Amino acid sequence: CDKGFTELNTNPNAPVVPDVDYMFSQSILKGNYVYDRAYFYTSYITCGNYVQHFATAKEISVAGSGDKYGVYDFYQSFYFRYTYTNVLTTLRELIEAAQSPELVNKKSAARIWRVLIMQRITDLYGDVPYSDANKGLREAILLPKYDPQEQIYADLLKELDESIAAFDESKLKFGKADFLYEGSIPKWKKFAYSLMLRVAMRMTRRDPAKAQQWAAKAIQGGIILDEADQAVVKYSNGPQIYNNNPVAWEIVNQDLQRGANGVNNTEWGKYSKTFIDYLKNNNDPRLSVVSVVWNGATPDNTPALQKGMPNGTDGKPANFGTFSEPNPATILQYSAPLIVLSRAETHYLLTEAIIRGWASGNAAAAFKTGMEAAMKNWALFGAAGVIPQASIDAYTAAHALNTGGTLDAQMNQIHTQFWVASLLDEQEAYANWRRTGYPVLTPVNFTGNATGGTIPRRLPYSVPEQGINKKHYDDAVARQGPDLLTTRIWWDKQ
Amino acid sequence: QSPNPVQLSGTVTSAADGQPVIGATITLANAKNVGAVTDPQGHFTLRVPASHGPVQLIVTFIGYERKTINVPAGQTQVDIALGENTKALNEVVVTALGIKKQRKAVTYAMTEVKGSEFTQAREINVADALTGKIAGVNASSLAGGPGSSSRVVIRGNGSFGSDNQPLYVINGMPIDNSTPNVPASGNASIGLNADRGDGIAGINPDDIESITVLKGATASALYGSRAANGVIMITTKKGVKQKGIGVDFNSTLTVETPSIIPDWQYEYGQGQKGLKPVTQADAIASGRLSFGPRIDGANSMQFDGVSRPYTAQKNNIKNFYRTGTTFTNTIAASGGGDFGTYRLSLSDMNNYGLVPHQQLNKKIFSLSLTGNLHKRVTVEGYAQYNIEKAVNRANVSDAPGNPNWGTYMLANTVDVRNLAPGYNTLTGAETLWNPSGFASNPYFVVNRFVNNDDRRRFIGNVSVKFNILDNLFLRGRVNHDFTDVGWTGIVPTGTAYAPKGFFQQQTNGITETNGELTLNYSGRLGKNFTLDAMAGGNQRKAKTNNVILLGTDFSVPNFYDPSNVVSLTTTNQNIRSAVNSVFGSVDLGYKDMLFLTATGRNDWFSTLDPRDNNIFYPSIGASFLLSEAVKLPGWINYAKVRASWAQVGGGTPAAYVLTQTYSLVPGGGHLGQPLQTPTQTVGTTSGLLNAPNASLKPYTSTTYEAGLEARFLGGRLSADLAVYNRRTTDDIVQVSISPASGYNTTFLNVGEMNNKGIELMLSGTAVKQPDFSWDVTFTGSYNKNEVLKLADGLDRIQMDVAVNSYAFIFAEVGKPYSTIKGYKVKKNAEGKTMYNKANGFELTTGLEDLGTGVSPWSGGINNSFSYKRFNLSFLIDGKFGGHVYSGTNLYATRFGLHRITLPGREGGLTVTGVDDENKPFTRTFTYNNDLQAYYDNYKFQSERFIYSSDFIKLRQVILGYSLPANLFSFAKFQSVSLSLVGRNLLILHKKAPNIDPESTFNNSNAQGFEMFGVPRTRSFGLNLMVKL
């Protein structure tokens, strides 16, 4: 009585076998901005407002929660809710499908990419599911336990180390399916070592010895120092939404809107006054690259006209249209590249490592190269991003590293530049700001804020998760501290 | 005397109405073992043994007088008219699979409603007209505009995983009742959030002979898993044997107006902090804020830069919405002869909705045939074809693209008509009236959005019956239901929240095919026993083919075609499933007083793991006629008790959920590289993953029920009482799991839910005079629902969430299904309100229960009077014990329209209580000091907007006049009647302010949210019925 039922119950619209290459392409493309709105909710509205790159005039209970330190579960838990499912499950399934020794290079690249994403999750929330994560299907672990961040960090380093060691030039490689490096093993190794440096440096305050050990190992192994080795995903202007740069797409479609002309932004978002003031006060040539003010239907990038909106602005101000916002000719192009890991970042971290005595080299030179790289990288955004060499030289000369200064003073210099350079990579900007404390930002103290007027140190766990996975949530909170915006995560603890 | 047996045949009819009497027993007076039973046409054939003559027949049937007839020798044909016996109830009812049974033999609760109940005062969706008519049936129509879906729940929600709606059956065979689009309760960013109707909406009330509702599982056990929530069986009209052609014409014209106009405050007008807008920017900034100064009639700036008098605009609802009209015409021709019968009907329903530019047209053609091919072979066929066209269905709930939102929330001193046409005629850009682009300009939406669907539907059903012997027949039936829906939804160029627009197009092809073969026996075992037995099988195949086009960014403005979007993806969904079944039933009767019924069905499901894919469901029931068995007092004419037990399996998993698949991402991939992802719950774009579970099986629903039916006072009063207990175990629960597991949900067979209840129907004739009669029918029911178990370690599931998470609907262990939860104002031990020291706003509790969205009590009273040629009937119905969370009242409060925001406008509002440390606290809010923010903050105090959804409505009134036929003697009319009809005329009682408590906007399991639906209407009109 059930003849033909098995065939009938086979989905004709989806293969039953995964293709390792296609799954990897998807993992890279969705990348750290895993799902629609991930960039908007996590990076732009939340982290980007915390670090005062951006400002949002909306109410504290909704889209202004990042600007004014409110609690809004829907935005703040978004990364947790969508990243495990939309990228890590894809990676898990492809790693399962790549167990053959012939596929070791593909498997290693997937493991390295997983480290980048896993670090982003733990840096936002602290202790999170890790060793039990993504085991809902094969191991039927429906309610994974939360691992202490310290252990997660240890395993991220181990994963990088093992994956680098496992690469084998004689085995199959990803070709064009790898949007970062087309399967190049040397480049993947540099990317992995750069991630190792990022992971290691995050631990400077908490476990300096380990930070030193792994930072030194990474630098010795060979980090990204040349433009050609940077991790950059290219996008095209359509035809599909996923072909567009997710940063541009999200900012435009969730807030600035084509045709809004700086006046009818749906979430009342602008550049922060803090950010624009800094660029202006330092004659930063990047100002006219990244920022415009709308004059009617025309974007005007004249530096003198640029003006940021103060964080904590309550309601759409009458002069809303006069504030600066991202430049349609660079940042907001749908075909803009997405820089996942730049040599500016590696150079800044290298500078810090040299100052700390963890690496050899010339700190001032590394810092200068970092600033140059940060400015030259805008040329990847097209003609409107090209900054004349003279302007770069003038800027680097005016901001040379004060090698005679205290560690704090030099950290301030390095990480203020890091902060400027990490515009758009808001999650990294926020993590680095929490670790270093630079630049010194003046918090807002808005009525009804949830932090007592301090910039949040982490995001609360997802509210549905608290009910669903209560025991493990309770364990994590008991270990880490109250589930608040103000609780510091392991590497951020004083 | 003839040496051979004589074959004697004939027809038994009712003397009262000439209709055939089915199931009457004919026996020979001098040989009780020779007999026959009449078939559905009232025919019988009897073989009289040669040795017996003269022939004396005894004809009996419950409800009729016993009749003895002498048949002269040589006569082979006899027609018998039976006189009614008022002592007992005579009724033949249609039960599962279309099996006709004497009512006395039915062991469970069932209710039959005549088709004429739906044809005078109409609802566009016939299921909506069940409201208040049947005890235990909770029918709610939605605030989704004309042609939207219905929600019918019989004896409570039984399952977490299924939609809890009954199976709809036409002429014994199931049809499809899927809802292609269920509007979201939460944030709807794209804005195309309209209900596009369900399957039952495609049935023309004029084609319905009767609707029978099988409430219990015993009744539905024969239909298998899909009948776990009850069955609504529709029997279509057929032609009758007559001379010439009978023609029926039915025409109804009704007009509709909003049933509720909100009672906003009109003391303080548009503005913020007590100030009128001065500039256009001010006026836009306060476009939805009525926190201005006292309304004074002097000029004030408005959103369009024009200064107008600052006066109360109380007629915005009336001015924006138009008067809706519905004009329905049906013409039917029928007739028949010895060859068989036919009925052909054509119907046209044209509705112009309240919302400007909204239109719905349905044309339904139906043909019903019966044929007597051979003396042993009869054929019945039914075919229906629908052509439906809906234009501009209204989006509901969240603000984007919802024309109702702005109409209700516009500041109270702005005339809504000034928002027209809603866009700049040169650029096409939406005219902003408020600071948020998401709160659409109502005129822009009605003038520029597109939300159109075209629907074609074919239902065909053929039944062939072969009478192998007089009491044994074989019947084969095939039913095919095919719906093709083409929908286009456009968010146009120039929309404030999406200036380049969105394009969506869907083609849905929904097919259901059933083939059934049964062998049926009906006979006697000796003198005292009757035996009916049936065995058969059914094959069901269902197929849904969807093509979904999603596009963004129109290149050429206002031209809407897939070729014109920058980004386009196409998704195919081909969902196929099959169920094979065998089933059987045995009915045993003893002396017309005790009846036993047993049924069994075994289903094999394609969607289950082949290792364990079949389930057996048994049922057993008994009915006992007290009035036949013992002598009851004279005023009790009929009394029957019944009891039954049944198990039905239901809620099988959807197709393809047993194993993980990997979908290619549509749209060509990235930089020439294909993309692939583990299959998500809706194609590749939902971002939600379900962990496959191969070990699923259907849930089990076990029902015990008992009932009592009685007639008193010579049939003047009758009662039907039922009690039941229905428990669902092993329910398939889609459990939310930690997303860190890599998946959002998985299906587990763990849920348990219980419904117990009581249903009562009383009907009586209060007055019966030659010229005047008064009949009253009362129905009432109570259902207690309790969630017993969800999953290990899981005591609640969030079923739905209101916009911006202001309220939630949960299923929680120990509570009724659809429990509304939200936040309450925090009180200290002494009951004093606690305030936040910093801002002075009330502190709130965690999530607490606020009520249930499903009313446990419901009932209706119908009175009908007839006086000479006039008749008047009115139906009053009500529901009690439920709650509704009102988004309309919430937003009206945030924006200062609600009367509760009046205190403090002048002189300030002082709140007193305690702070979070229990120290006395007081604060005065004034216009300049956070008064607006204080009222706005009420949004976090969900309990302020939870209301009892109790209501009593004057649901339906019909005043009819039957014209004397001789007036039209020239035209040979048999009858002409004219009626004034009204639906939803008055709300006699309600507690929820400013809204109709019946204003939920989708037919999902999560009931209890109201928010900016299309206004519910009161309608009145004229109905003309002509027969010739």
Side-chain angles (χ1 to χ4, degrees):
Chain A
C1 279
D2 58 357
K3 197 165 159 254
F5 274 14
T6 306
E7 193 194 336
L8 191 70
N9 201 33
T10 302
N11 187 344
N13 307 119
V16 292
V17 185
D19 182 294
V20 171
D21 285 32
Y22 303 166
M23 299 264 283
F24 191 64
S25 297
Q26 168 74 1
S27 311
I28 297 288
L29 186 73
K30 282 295 177 180
N32 32 9
Y33 308 125
V34 289
Y35 186 65
D36 305 351
R37 307 300 98 79
Y39 186 80
F40 176 69
Y41 293 148
T42 310
S43 298
Y44 179 73
I45 286 277
T46 304
C47 299
N49 274 259
Y50 288 167
V51 300
Q52 300 182 5
H53 281 156
F54 298 104
T56 307
K58 276 250 164 120
E59 56 206 293
I60 183 172
S61 57
V62 195
S65 55
D67 185 66
K68 305 178 181 69
Y69 321 146
V71 173
Y72 188 44
D73 174 58
F74 189 75
Y75 290 176
Q76 289 162 349
S77 69
F78 196 88
Y79 206 75
F80 183 94
R81 288 185 290 124
Y82 280 87
T83 307
Y84 285 105
T85 47
N86 282 269
V87 156
L88 295 180
T89 299
T90 313
L91 286 169
R92 170 78 208 272
E93 292 293 291
L94 100 77
I95 289 168
E96 286 296 327
Q99 290 301 326
S100 143
E102 270 307 301
L103 299 176
V104 66
N105 293 328
K106 299 187 178 186
K107 184 177 158 188
S108 286
R111 287 172 73 187
I112 292 165
W113 189 242
R114 181 172 171 272
V115 168
L116 173 109
I117 292 157
M118 215 41 246
Q119 190 193 10
R120 287 190 176 278
I121 300 176
T122 183
D123 284 355
L124 285 177
Y125 304 98
D127 294 1
V128 288
Y130 181 79
S131 55
D132 274 358
N134 294 90
K135 293 184 176 172
L137 176 63
R138 291 164 194 283
E139 291 86 350
I141 299 178
L142 307 181
L143 304 174
K145 69 170 190 289
Y146 286 51
D147 295 280
Q149 189 177 49
E150 182 175 10
Q151 289 171 22
I152 297 171
Y153 260 69
D155 200 73
L156 294 178
L157 291 164
K158 186 212 80 182
E159 280 289 294
L160 291 170
D161 205 25
E162 282 182 10
S163 306
I164 291 166
F167 277 118
D168 182 344
E169 279 288 354
S170 71
K171 298 290 195 302
L172 285 174
K173 292 173 214 166
F174 281 124
K176 289 194 179 302
D178 168 7
F179 295 135
L180 288 177
Y181 297 121
E182 296 193 0
S184 162
I185 291 175
K187 288 188 178 183
W188 268 102
K189 285 185 174 172
K190 285 184 190 175
F191 177 65
Y193 279 122
S194 303
L195 272 183
M196 191 185 284
L197 179 62
R198 181 190 274 186
V199 174
M201 294 304 281
R202 205 80 94 219
M203 304 189 293
T204 50
R205 264 214 330 269
R206 187 63 182 186
D207 192 347
K210 205 168 176 192
Q212 174 175 4
Q213 175 204 335
W214 285 95
K217 179 173 178 138
I219 293 163
Q220 267 165 17
I223 56 174
I224 296 167
L225 294 172
D226 298 323
E227 186 174 323
D229 295 332
Q230 297 190 115
V232 179
V233 183
K234 290 193 178 68
Y235 288 88
S236 58
N237 184 357
Q240 304 304 335
I241 293 171
Y242 58 73
N243 299 128
N244 297 327
N245 180 310
V247 174
W249 171 262
E250 289 291 324
I251 295 179
V252 168
N253 286 276
Q254 302 311 316
D255 190 8
L256 307 192
Q257 304 294 350
R258 297 270 192 252
N261 296 343
V263 179
N264 293 327
N265 305 2
T266 46
E267 299 293 351
W268 309 345
K270 291 285 180 178
Y271 272 129
S272 164
K273 179 173 191 301
T274 313
F275 183 61
I276 297 296
D277 284 356
Y278 180 82
L279 296 186
K280 257 176 122 167
N281 296 340
N282 288 276
N283 295 318
D284 197 316
R286 284 170 285 195
L287 180 57
S288 60
V289 170
V290 301
S291 178
V292 297
V293 166
W294 286 86
N295 177 14
T298 313
D300 189 337
N301 66 348
T302 309
L305 292 177
Q306 305 307 315
K307 184 171 79 172
M309 183 168 77
N311 286 98
T313 299
D314 180 16
K316 191 178 173 182
N319 60 347
F320 184 78
T322 66
F323 294 117
S324 297
E325 56 183 52
N327 188 346
T330 53
I331 293 171
L332 299 187
Q333 301 171 96
Y334 290 164
S335 59
L338 189 137
I339 301 173
V340 177
L341 209 160
S342 77
R343 66 194 166 110
E345 176 185 340
T346 53
H347 276 100
Y348 293 141
L349 294 181
L350 178 61
T351 309
E352 183 186 337
I354 295 169
I355 297 170
R356 289 181 184 274
W358 296 354
S360 58
N362 182 329
F367 182 62
K368 178 165 179 273
T369 312
M371 287 189 288
E372 281 177 351
M375 286 188 267
K376 283 183 175 167
N377 270 349
W378 285 109
L380 300 174
F381 287 74
V386 177
I387 299 170
Q389 188 62 44
S391 306
I392 295 176
D393 291 344
Y395 187 84
T396 55
H399 291 83
L401 187 67
N402 174 15
T403 48
T406 61
L407 175 66
D408 275 352
Q410 292 184 70
M411 284 289 279
N412 190 353
Q413 257 191 300
I414 297 165
H415 292 289
T416 300
Q417 284 305 322
F418 193 113
W419 175 73
V420 176
S422 57
L423 176 73
L424 306 186
D425 190 357
E426 302 302 328
Q427 280 181 257
E428 190 55 30
Y430 177 47
N432 196 63
W433 174 82
R434 280 179 288 167
R435 174 176 77 87
T436 64
Y438 296 114
V440 177
L441 299 173
T442 307
V444 301
N445 194 356
F446 190 80
T447 311
N449 79 78
T451 63
T454 60
I455 295 175
R457 306 305 298 194
R458 66 181 279 278
L459 302 183
Y461 293 120
S462 145
V463 169
E465 169 79 1
Q466 296 172 24
I468 293 165
N469 199 4
K470 184 166 193 323
K471 182 186 173 300
H472 295 131
Y473 164 81
D474 288 345
D475 291 347
V477 171
R479 189 165 56 224
Q480 178 170 272
D483 187 11
L484 301 173
L485 289 169
T486 46
T487 301
R488 286 171 183 255
I489 60 179
W490 169 74
W491 57 249
D492 190 27
K493 287 228 158 71
Q494 300 284 23
Chain B
Q1 284 186 7
S2 165
N4 294 321
V6 175
Q7 182 156 311
L8 186 61
S9 61
T11 311
V12 179
T13 53
S14 163
D17 59 4
Q19 291 295 306
V21 174
I22 303 144
T25 306
I26 299 101
T27 50
L28 272 184
N30 55 359
K32 285 277 169 61
N33 59 335
V34 176
V37 176
T38 54
D39 70 7
Q41 279 75 41
H43 295 308
F44 70 92
T45 308
L46 196 68
R47 294 171 82 82
V48 182
S51 57
H52 291 80
V55 177
Q56 186 178 48
L57 294 179
I58 298 168
V59 187
T60 56
F61 188 59
I62 187 132
Y64 290 88
E65 300 288 357
R66 176 190 171 102
K67 192 159 189 174
T68 307
I69 293 164
N70 295 310
V71 185
Q75 185 175 333
T76 57
Q77 171 77 27
V78 59
D79 289 334
I80 305 156
L82 285 186
E84 266 190 67
N85 173 2
T86 52
K87 196 180 153 201
L89 181 78
N90 164 45
E91 222 178 322
V92 170
V93 289
V94 180
T95 65
L97 303 178
I99 299 167
K100 287 173 180 160
K101 271 192 189 181
Q102 297 166 37
R103 177 146 208 144
K104 64 186 175 186
V106 174
T107 63
Y108 43 78
M110 60 181 302
T111 307
E112 192 178 65
V113 183
K114 292 287 168 209
S116 55
E117 297 253 349
F118 306 107
T119 50
Q120 280 181 299
R122 285 161 182 271
E123 290 279 354
I124 291 174
N125 187 335
V126 68
D128 293 343
L130 292 169
T131 308
K133 289 189 173 129
I134 303 169
V137 175
N138 198 332
S140 21
S141 56
L142 311 177
S148 62
S149 306
S150 60
R151 181 169 175 85
V152 176
V153 173
I154 300 174
R155 292 186 169 175
N157 293 288
S159 160
F160 307 102
S162 70
D163 65 6
N164 286 309
Q165 303 235 39
L167 173 68
Y168 287 92
V169 166
I170 286 199
N171 295 334
M173 299 295 275
I175 58 164
D176 172 78
N177 188 40
S178 50
T179 307
N181 196 51
V182 178
S185 311
N187 299 70
S189 57
I190 286 183
L192 295 167
N193 200 31
D195 185 305
R196 303 203 289 271
D198 54 10
I200 184 61
I203 304 299
N204 176 15
D206 291 303
D207 290 339
I208 298 174
E209 174 69 31
S210 68
I211 291 183
T212 304
V213 180
L214 305 181
K215 297 178 207 166
T218 329
S220 46
L222 279 179
Y223 278 111
S225 64
R226 285 198 303 162
N229 300 305
V231 182
I232 293 188
M233 299 198 308
I234 295 169
T235 306
T236 60
K237 285 180 182 159
K238 295 180 177 56
V240 289
K241 191 173 164 181
Q242 66 179 64
K243 266 190 191 160
I245 301 173
V247 176
D248 284 274
F249 176 69
N250 190 337
S251 176
T252 310
L253 175 67
T254 56
V255 295
E256 291 122 30
T257 57
S259 62
I260 300 273
I261 303 289
D263 180 30
W264 300 147
Q265 63 86 9
Y266 292 104
E267 293 173 46
Y268 301 88
Q270 180 182 7
Q272 306 192 60
K273 300 187 172 176
L275 300 173
K276 284 184 192 177
V278 177
T279 63
Q280 184 179 1
D282 279 355
I284 290 175
S286 64
R288 50 184 183 179
L289 294 175
S290 299
F291 283 112
R294 202 167 262 284
I295 294 174
D296 58 9
N299 271 16
S300 167
M301 185 57 74
Q302 296 200 347
F303 67 95
D304 51 358
V306 177
S307 195
R308 297 191 182 87
Y310 196 68
T311 51
Q313 302 296 330
K314 298 182 180 176
N315 291 327
N316 276 344
I317 302 297
K318 229 167 78 186
N319 288 336
F320 177 74
Y321 297 105
R322 59 184 183 184
T323 300
T325 59
T326 308
F327 191 30
T328 312
N329 289 290
T330 302
I331 185 157
S334 62
D338 291 335
F339 58 90
T341 64
Y342 63 89
R343 179 178 183 275
L344 175 69
S345 118
L346 309 172
S347 147
D348 178 77
M349 191 286 300
N350 208 22
N351 167 277
Y352 293 89
L354 290 184
V355 178
H357 296 179
Q358 187 176 45
Q359 199 187 340
L360 180 68
N361 182 268
K362 281 190 204 188
K363 291 181 174 65
I364 303 176
F365 307 87
S366 78
L367 176 65
S368 175
L369 295 172
T370 64
N372 305 318
L373 300 190
H374 177 266
K375 64 180 179 180
R376 292 197 173 274
V377 181
T378 52
V379 178
E380 285 187 24
Y382 176 76
Q384 172 181 331
Y385 188 67
N386 293 25
I387 302 173
E388 302 178 21
K389 193 172 170 60
V391 177
N392 280 345
R393 290 194 193 257
N395 300 312
V396 297
S397 187
D398 198 11
N402 180 351
N404 310 296
W405 205 100
T407 306
Y408 278 84
M409 291 298 105
L410 181 64
N412 61 4
T413 48
V414 180
D415 187 333
V416 68
R417 290 171 294 188
N418 290 324
L419 268 56
Y423 56 96
N424 180 316
T425 47
L426 288 176
T427 65
E430 181 175 353
T431 307
L432 284 182
W433 61 278
N434 80 96
S436 170
F438 291 113
S440 299
N441 182 316
Y443 286 97
F444 181 75
V445 174
V446 300
N447 288 329
R448 301 297 253 207
F449 272 60
V450 176
N451 217 338
N452 296 349
D453 48 276
D454 269 298
R455 193 179 299 242
R456 300 283 185 275
R457 186 175 194 186
F458 170 77
I459 301 174
N461 138 10
V462 176
S463 163
V464 181
K465 184 177 164 192
F466 174 52
N467 292 302
I468 302 167
L469 299 169
D470 290 344
N471 54 4
L472 182 70
F473 69 88
L474 186 69
R475 185 170 61 189
R477 294 197 285 201
V478 178
N479 185 74
H480 183 74
D481 180 359
F482 173 67
T483 307
D484 177 85
V485 189
W487 169 72
T488 305
I490 304 292
V491 175
T493 315
T495 302
Y497 65 84
K500 291 279 207 168
F502 292 109
F503 173 82
Q504 295 198 10
Q505 189 174 301
Q506 279 193 29
T507 309
N508 313 114
I510 307 159
T511 313
E512 159 150 8
T513 309
N514 282 278
E516 181 201 86
L517 192 68
T518 57
L519 186 65
N520 300 262
Y521 171 80
S522 177
R524 301 190 73 90
L525 298 174
K527 193 171 148 191
N528 292 330
F529 290 94
T530 57
L531 173 72
D532 293 78
M534 182 273 298
N538 187 85
Q539 257 198 322
R540 167 177 191 256
K541 284 192 171 158
K543 196 164 70 178
T544 300
N545 291 325
N546 299 328
V547 182
I548 302 161
L549 270 60
L550 298 175
T552 54
D553 283 20
F554 293 106
S555 301
V556 177
N558 307 322
F559 171 65
Y560 304 125
D561 184 81
S563 63
N564 187 34
V565 291
V566 171
S567 154
L568 185 73
T569 59
T570 306
T571 308
N572 249 2
Q573 292 172 341
N574 305 100
I575 304 158
R576 304 161 306 179
S577 63
V579 181
N580 293 339
S581 317
V582 293
F583 46 79
S585 73
V586 177
D587 288 63
L588 204 60
Y590 172 69
K591 278 191 168 175
D592 266 356
M593 70 172 79
L594 179 66
F595 300 88
L596 294 173
T597 301
T599 70
R601 175 169 171 131
N602 204 87
D603 282 347
W604 285 261
F605 299 95
S606 72
T607 56
L608 295 180
D609 191 302
R611 283 168 299 184
D612 185 12
N613 67 356
N614 78 93
I615 320 278
F616 177 72
Y617 330 112
S619 89
I620 185 156
S623 84
F624 178 59
L625 268 74
L626 220 53
S627 49
E628 296 281 319
V630 296
K631 185 155 174 57
L632 295 169
W635 54 274
I636 305 178
N637 310 99
Y638 173 81
K640 166 184 147 185
V641 291
R642 53 172 202 257
S644 63
W645 172 89
Q647 269 191 346
V648 184
T652 50
Y656 320 140
V657 303
L658 303 180
T659 52
Q660 179 74 62
T661 58
Y662 305 89
S663 295
L664 289 151
V665 178
H670 187 62
L671 306 178
Q673 297 302 309
L675 305 168
Q676 193 178 31
T677 168
T679 302
Q680 302 181 352
T681 51
V682 185
T684 55
T685 55
S686 71
L688 301 174
L689 280 83
N690 182 69
N693 176 1
S695 63
L696 291 175
K697 58 183 192 294
Y699 67 74
T700 306
S701 168
T702 308
T703 305
Y704 298 88
E705 75 168 82
L708 178 67
E709 288 164 46
R711 282 195 164 198
F712 311 100
L713 306 172
R716 288 277 289 267
L717 179 66
S718 62
D720 187 342
L721 177 74
V723 292
Y724 59 87
N725 187 343
R726 170 185 178 206
R727 177 169 297 206
T728 306
T729 51
D730 293 334
D731 195 3
I732 297 179
V733 182
Q734 185 166 26
V735 180
S736 290
I737 58 179
S738 169
S741 69
Y743 302 83
N744 301 83
T745 53
T746 193
F747 288 100
L748 298 174
N749 264 118
V750 288
E752 286 185 27
M753 185 140 58
N754 199 81
N755 284 282
K756 49 183 117 175
I758 182 162
E759 294 155 357
L760 176 66
M761 186 174 90
L762 292 172
S763 63
T765 305
V767 179
K768 194 168 184 178
Q769 301 288 336
D771 277 344
F772 178 70
S773 70
W774 174 21
D775 293 310
V776 187
T777 306
F778 164 84
T779 63
S781 65
Y782 170 71
N783 182 75
K784 181 179 189 297
N785 172 292
E786 189 182 356
V787 175
L788 299 177
K789 186 183 171 194
L790 290 165
D792 292 328
L794 180 74
D795 64 356
R796 61 193 205 184
I797 298 175
Q798 183 182 312
M799 293 163 61
D800 207 351
V801 54
V803 166
N804 291 337
S805 304
Y806 294 140
F808 304 84
I809 293 178
F810 276 88
E812 182 167 329
V813 173
K815 292 177 181 157
Y817 195 58
S818 266
T819 294
I820 306 169
K821 283 177 179 276
Y823 306 97
K824 289 185 170 176
V825 172
K826 207 169 178 176
K827 307 267 181 183
N828 73 358
E830 293 92 62
K832 286 186 178 151
T833 302
M834 299 180 74
Y835 291 88
N836 177 332
K837 269 197 304 253
N839 56 27
F841 302 158
E842 290 86 351
L843 291 169
T844 49
T845 62
L847 274 190
E848 296 206 15
D849 294 352
L850 301 175
T852 167
V854 181
S855 297
W857 295 92
S858 65
I861 299 176
N862 192 53
N863 282 279
S864 58
F865 305 89
S866 76
Y867 174 71
K868 292 186 174 169
R869 294 186 165 275
F870 288 95
N871 63 74
L872 168 70
S873 75
F874 59 93
L875 170 66
I876 292 172
D877 77 324
K879 289 183 190 174
F880 310 93
H883 294 83
V884 62
Y885 177 81
S886 170
T888 302
N889 281 293
L890 154 75
Y891 277 96
T893 301
R894 296 184 59 190
F895 300 146
L897 286 167
H898 204 290
R899 291 183 168 279
I900 63 172
T901 64
L902 282 175
R905 302 273 183 133
E906 286 167 63
L909 172 75
T910 301
V911 297
T912 52
V914 295
D915 65 13
D916 53 352
E917 290 160 351
N918 228 357
K919 292 180 187 141
F921 176 86
T922 184
R923 161 94 47 116
T924 299
F925 294 101
T926 61
Y927 256 147
N928 284 322
N929 181 20
D930 282 347
L931 182 71
Q932 253 169 262
Y934 171 78
Y935 284 126
D936 183 73
N937 190 62
Y938 278 11
K939 65 195 172 198
F940 296 120
Q941 300 160 18
S942 332
E943 67 167 336
R944 291 190 188 268
F945 307 106
I946 192 93
Y947 304 100
S948 159
S949 61
D950 291 1
F951 68 82
I952 300 174
K953 288 187 179 180
L954 177 57
R955 182 70 69 182
Q956 177 174 301
V957 176
I958 301 172
L959 173 62
Y961 178 68
S962 174
L963 279 71
N966 57 17
L967 271 183
F968 306 97
S969 53
F970 56 92
K972 291 188 178 172
F973 288 123
Q974 286 180 27
S975 70
V976 177
S977 67
L978 196 61
S979 313
L980 289 168
V981 297
R983 289 276 303 168
N984 306 315
L985 289 180
L986 284 173
I987 301 179
L988 302 169
H989 165 81
K990 71 169 175 114
K991 289 177 178 163
N994 302 315
I995 60 163
D996 183 329
E998 281 194 295
S999 296
T1000 56
F1001 49 79
N1002 71 29
N1003 71 348
S1004 75
N1005 281 336
Q1007 294 287 301
F1009 289 151
E1010 174 279 338
M1011 185 155 141
F1012 301 109
V1014 177
R1016 291 186 51 98
T1017 55
R1018 75 164 54 102
S1019 71
F1020 32 93
L1022 208 57
N1023 169 264
L1024 171 71
M1025 283 203 276
V1026 178
K1027 254 189 209 304
L1028 77 167

